[in-house]
Amino acid sequence: MRISCEIIKDLLPLYLDGVCSNDSKAAIEEHLTGCDNCKSELQAMQTSIPIDSTAQNLKEAEAVKNLSKRWKKGMAKSLLKGILFTVLTIAAIAILLYIFIGIKITF
Ligand SMILES: [Zn+2]
């Protein structure tokens, strides 16, 4: 079955997205084997798609970055709390020891 290049070009986006029927897919592949024009058209489409997905990935990377920034902020806060807690505990122990030793010395 001979399909015109115009029809193939209409179907190529569907073919690339993998949403066309198996019959269309077979027809397109059959046409592509004998038509360099449509083959280069397909290649042009294939190379243009990764650029879009790269932009998408960049957006996602940006979102992840922002998320990890927020997460790091939360981490810093809890780390600060942890440090503060540790310092206060050490101070309390030091004060207790000082008092204990001080009492021992006065006795
Ligand atoms: Zn063709």
Side-chain angles (χ1 to χ4, degrees), residues 3-18:
I3 305 163
S4 78
C5 291
E6 289 302 311
I7 292 168
I8 293 298
K9 277 171 191 171
D10 282 344
L11 289 172
L12 280 179
L14 302 176
Y15 173 73
L16 275 172
D17 287 341

Side-chain angles (χ1 to χ4, degrees), residues 15-53:
Y15 173 73
L16 275 172
D17 287 341
V19 292
C20 66
S21 67
N22 283 335
D23 281 359
S24 301
K25 198 179 156 190
I28 291 161
E29 277 166 359
E30 195 194 317
H31 181 95
L32 287 174
T33 53
C35 182
D36 288 337
N37 210 359
C38 290
K39 220 187 240 174
S40 59
E41 192 82 17
L42 176 71
Q43 274 167 354
M45 281 181 183
Q46 276 173 330
T47 49
S48 74
I49 281 167
I51 292 163
D52 287 341
S53 66

